[in-house]
Amino acid sequence: MSLFNNLLWLELIVYTTLASSVAYWFHWQWKHRRFCELAAKLPGPKSYPLIGTASMYTPTYDGTVKKLIRNAVQYNYEPVGTWIGPIYYVSVVKPEDIQIVLNNSKALEKGYLYSFMKSLLGEGLLTAPVDKWRKHRRVIAYSFNIKFLEQLYPVFNEKHKNLVRELKRNVNSTEPFDLWDYIISTTFDTICHVAMDYQVNDKRKKHEFLSLLTVIADELVKAVNKPWLYVDSIFTMYKSFSDLGKNLKTINKLPLQLIEEKKLDFKSKREAMKSFEGQGENNDGTIKIRTFLDCLLLANETDHDFTEADVRDEVITMLFAGSDTNGTTECFCLLLLAIHQDVQNEVYDEIYNVVGDSDREMTPDDTAKLVYLEQVLKETLRLFPIISVFTRQLQDDIKLSHYVLPKGTSVTISPMVTHHCPLLYPDPYAFNPDNFSPENVANRHKYSYIAFSGGPRGCIGMKYAMMSMKLLLAEVLRNFSVHTDIKLADVKVKISDGFTRKVGGYPITIRHRDKRPSYMQNTTFLKS
């Protein structure tokens, strides 16, 4: 009798479980019916119940980006739909559709994957929800005003001359050296000075911060490929019982020390800044000096909703984005110029035509004349976009060229995919600065190039980035010629800590520059 009762109970449990599973499945199908209807229309790899698109699961972020590229090629660069567990992603590649998404007011919310980066960056401009992003962007917009940035040229010139002095240690050595440590140290010192009026004199602290920045960001990006960490409670436990939690506490030391020290300076400036409201101009029309951090501290004093945590989040976001993105691009660019000596000659000739053989400091007028150098930088960012993928979470329906994406869709946009689309760039894996000649730019859709994203939530630091990178590269190239034995085909990239990096660093050799136009120099340059 007991065995019979046990069998009855077992049978009841089985039937109840099956019935619950079926009910849950139908409920899930009904709740996600619009995604399911879209999934039936969109091209994409096969998906399975609960699991989603199994082929999209990869152990590394590199693998995910490669899958996006393969899907784009396989499905002729049309929108591709994939399920990652219960989340429906649509990958958008063509510039016409990218423009629709990035310019839509209902597509300003960052995707769920950015939630991991909040552990490091908090809710700074890069990761903040829309309402906070709008408010913070208004607060700091002044510090990215081009007139304000132009007043900082003495700082840029000082930092870049320091870089040249450091690089001289490697002149005429036959052994290649890695550019990275030199460049990242310079870009970090520069962003600290121009954005915070702060100098990190303790090299140990600077090294610790930069090292942890890479380690933590890499760990958080890896979490994207660990679906079990999408559960908040599990991710919180993971942080508590791993080195990630300890590292997150340690990395805050420098930003918090920086903020506390600058608060004291800010108080002494506060009275002088009381008259500084609105456009921020003196009576003679010149811009008053007010740093990025001053803007944050002023907001913290005058707006009770702008908290000290907000100040910290924006500071660490600026330190992260303002040093690493520039530094990586500059390293890639110098390496590409070392590989393509003919392009390096043309860049140097342009610099020579602007400043001659003098050692005078660069000015805003000089930078505006470096047109070909800007083409080279843009082509560098086309080949090696620093941010390989970004996502947006739709707050309402959006109509693309041929499909309507329902509210709640996660849209994936990959500069790495779009920038290498042969429909937009002939021979897309070749290095060709003429891709950004005025004629070619005019004949191509504006959103074919999205290295700085686009639309209202595009990168606020784009002008700063281009200006500072042109200044650094011009200073290096007017003093040295750069060389390497590797070829473009040898350059392999990895997507780590959220950024595109070159595997094996950026090895070059340098020689003192013969300060004459390239056609007058004795040095023989070999075309690649």
Side-chain angles (χ1 to χ4, degrees), residues 144-146 149 452 459-468:
F144 288 98
N145 179 297
I146 192 65
L149 292 175
F452 294 96
C459 177
I460 194 174
M462 180 176 67
K463 290 179 180 177
Y464 169 85
M466 292 304 297
M467 184 185 76
S468 59

Side-chain angles (χ1 to χ4, degrees), residues 414-429:
S414 172
M416 190 67 79
V417 177
T418 297
H419 288 183
H420 292 89
C421 175
L423 304 175
L424 304 173
Y425 298 96
D427 198 5
Y429 289 92

